[in-house]
Amino acid sequence: MLNKNVKLNGKTVLVTGAAGFIGSNLVLALFKGFENIHVVGVDNMNDYYDVSIKEYRLQEIENAQKSGEWTFVKGNIADKELIDGLFAKYQPALVVNLAAQAGVRYSITNPSAYIESNLVGFYNILEACRNYPVEHLVYASSSSVYGSNKKIPYSTDDKVDNPVSLYAATKKSNELMAHAYSKLYNIPSTGLRFFTVYGPAGRPDMAYFGFTNKLIKGQTIEIFNYGNCKRDFTFVDDIVEGVKRVMECAPEKENGEDGLPLPPYRVYNIGNSSPENLLDFVDILQKELVRAGVLPQDYDFEAHKKLVPMQAGDVPITYADTSPLERDFGFKPATPLQVGLRKFAEWYKEFYKI
Ligand SMILES: NC(=O)c1ccc[n+]([C@@H]2O[C@H](COP(=O)([O-])OP(=O)(O)OC[C@H]3O[C@@H](n4cnc5c(N)ncnc54)[C@H](O)[C@@H]3O)[C@@H](O)[C@H]2O)c1
């Protein structure tokens, strides 16, 4: 286990993508877990998916009990002046960069959104961390960096320079950029490769949410690769727990034999480490949607399912080797799908007033 070397109580933490799925859950967990913390959240509230879900998440943060302070700034991380201004004003001790253009398929039709948010935006964050030193920069990478890795489970020791989407290429680039900045400017940084995150108030562009929207409208859902896809579905609370633990352990600054700083740089997988077949996942989702009352008992699921070939940019399996996470933080995601999907189905019913 690593020693905690970053105290969060009383600190200012900048969370980008704070109105996002993972970001908003992280902000809530920071207020719950730490005292007198000042969280500065940035998000440009873009309409890649239904903005009312982002507004709902921000409202949840407003409503939460907190001993510390919450500041929300609507803005774009690709706006260098804005980011520099925020660092100058708030001097955050920690930065968690979650703002990004997410989604694999959208990167095929809208590549420029990825260059702007994931590359220019992340570069601005790195430059700001260089000019206003932070105790720890934690940033989201993705399981998609593994591309069509043949070896499973996916390990952070695997060579990952064969991305199969622009999204994956930007996430791998983030790791490379962070490595260079860690080395050159001694910025302690940790990249986290998240594996298919799901949960209440999740992202409508992800399969479980999209399937639910379609089933409720009586439309047919398309199951890619004829259902032979396996995904390491990870419940959002597990991701947030992992991020929190990682935030408290920054890579130590050390000098190498040449007297120059070694890059204080690490990368971890955070995934459930138990891949589920997409068809089994859909089966559990169906049962939970019926149980929550989102869909009727007698819903004819078979009539609303179509097995289709694999999509460009998709990979057949994702499977996280989480042993370094367990070794260093004594933690691994373990929420069963049924528990996580139940929470999603119950939230869905309440949010859409079904
Ligand atoms: N959810 C997953 O399964 C998953 C898996 C792997 C990696 N990730 C990564 O985790 C991070 C969070 O993902 P999420 O699922 O919460 O996605 P999300 O889309 O819900 O959250 C991202 C937030 O960032 C904001 N944003 C996007 N571009 C911005 C910009 N240029 N400036 C300011 N704000 C901007 C969006 O409005 C959004 O609210 C992302 O970096 C994503 O790539 C997510």
Side-chain angles (χ1 to χ4, degrees), residues 17 19-23 42-46 49 54 57 75-78 98-102 116-117 140-143 167 171 194-197 203 206:
F21 174 37
I22 299 172
V42 187
D43 201 298
N44 67 355
M45 304 294 280
N46 69 60
Y49 61 77
K54 297 183 183 180
R57 298 182 188 129
N76 190 339
I77 61 163
L98 300 170
Q101 179 56 56
E116 177 180 309
S117 296
S141 181
S142 164
S143 61
Y167 170 67
K171 288 295 178 180
F194 300 145
F195 282 65
T196 320
V197 192
R203 275 185 16 222
M206 292 186 70

Side-chain angles (χ1 to χ4, degrees), residues 202-264:
R203 275 185 16 222
D205 62 320
M206 292 186 70
Y208 65 103
F209 205 131
F211 286 170
T212 307
N213 288 341
K214 284 197 162 175
L215 290 171
I216 215 163
K217 289 186 202 144
Q219 296 170 349
T220 300
I221 61 173
E222 290 189 332
I223 301 181
F224 295 118
N225 201 20
Y226 304 101
N228 296 318
C229 276
K230 284 190 159 196
R231 286 285 175 275
D232 217 347
F233 295 102
T234 314
F235 189 55
V236 65
D237 289 3
D238 288 334
I239 293 287
V240 163
E241 181 60 31
V243 176
K244 254 173 48 187
R245 288 181 189 231
V246 166
M247 286 171 75
E248 293 181 286
C249 300
E252 298 284 356
K253 294 181 180 176
E254 284 163 353
N255 284 345
E257 283 170 10
D258 56 4
L260 294 172
L262 293 169

Side-chain angles (χ1 to χ4, degrees), residues 5 23 46 53 56 72 75 92 94 96 111 152 159 166 213 225 230 232 240 267 270 321 323 326 338:
N5 56 4
N46 69 60
I53 298 180
Y56 163 89
F72 179 70
L94 285 98
V96 185
I152 49 167
K159 194 163 168 270
L166 181 66
N213 288 341
N225 201 20
K230 284 190 159 196
D232 217 347
V240 163
V267 171
I270 307 192
D321 176 351
S323 40
E326 289 171 61
Q338 197 209 29

Side-chain angles (χ1 to χ4, degrees), residues 44-244:
N44 67 355
M45 304 294 280
N46 69 60
D47 63 359
Y48 165 60
Y49 61 77
D50 185 358
V51 177
S52 73
I53 298 180
K54 297 183 183 180
E55 286 162 351
Y56 163 89
R57 298 182 188 129
L58 288 181
Q59 195 56 50
E60 292 283 290
I61 297 174
E62 290 292 340
N63 297 345
Q65 278 220 322
K66 29 191 175 308
S67 70
E69 198 183 333
W70 164 237
T71 305
F72 179 70
V73 179
K74 186 175 170 186
N76 190 339
I77 61 163
D79 178 346
K80 194 167 192 321
E81 239 173 84
L82 174 102
I83 293 302
D84 289 347
L86 286 180
F87 274 73
K89 183 169 178 189
Y90 297 108
Q91 312 255 341
L94 285 98
V95 175
V96 185
N97 187 61
L98 300 170
Q101 179 56 56
V104 166
R105 285 182 203 130
Y106 189 69
S107 69
I108 294 164
T109 48
N110 288 280
S112 57
Y114 293 76
I115 302 301
E116 177 180 309
S117 296
N118 304 9
L119 297 184
V120 178
F122 190 58
Y123 157 73
N124 289 340
I125 296 292
L126 288 171
E127 271 291 296
C129 290
R130 166 191 175 185
N131 294 323
Y132 301 90
V134 296
E135 291 180 47
H136 197 184
L137 164 66
V138 178
Y139 61 94
S141 181
S142 164
S143 61
S144 64
V145 300
Y146 291 105
S148 36
N149 212 23
K150 294 283 176 293
K151 182 193 138 288
I152 49 167
Y154 295 170
S155 156
T156 43
D157 293 332
D158 296 346
K159 194 163 168 270
V160 286
D161 45 17
N162 296 301
V164 295
S165 68
L166 181 66
Y167 170 67
T170 62
K171 288 295 178 180
K172 176 63 194 167
S173 306
N174 287 170
E175 295 180 0
L176 297 172
M177 290 158 81
H179 188 275
Y181 270 73
S182 291
K183 170 76 182 159
L184 288 169
Y185 310 113
N186 225 356
I187 301 170
S189 78
T190 307
L192 299 173
R193 295 177 181 169
F194 300 145
F195 282 65
T196 320
V197 192
Y198 73 98
R203 275 185 16 222
D205 62 320
M206 292 186 70
Y208 65 103
F209 205 131
F211 286 170
T212 307
N213 288 341
K214 284 197 162 175
L215 290 171
I216 215 163
K217 289 186 202 144
Q219 296 170 349
T220 300
I221 61 173
E222 290 189 332
I223 301 181
F224 295 118
N225 201 20
Y226 304 101
N228 296 318
C229 276
K230 284 190 159 196
R231 286 285 175 275
D232 217 347
F233 295 102
T234 314
F235 189 55
V236 65
D237 289 3
D238 288 334
I239 293 287
V240 163
E241 181 60 31
V243 176
K244 254 173 48 187

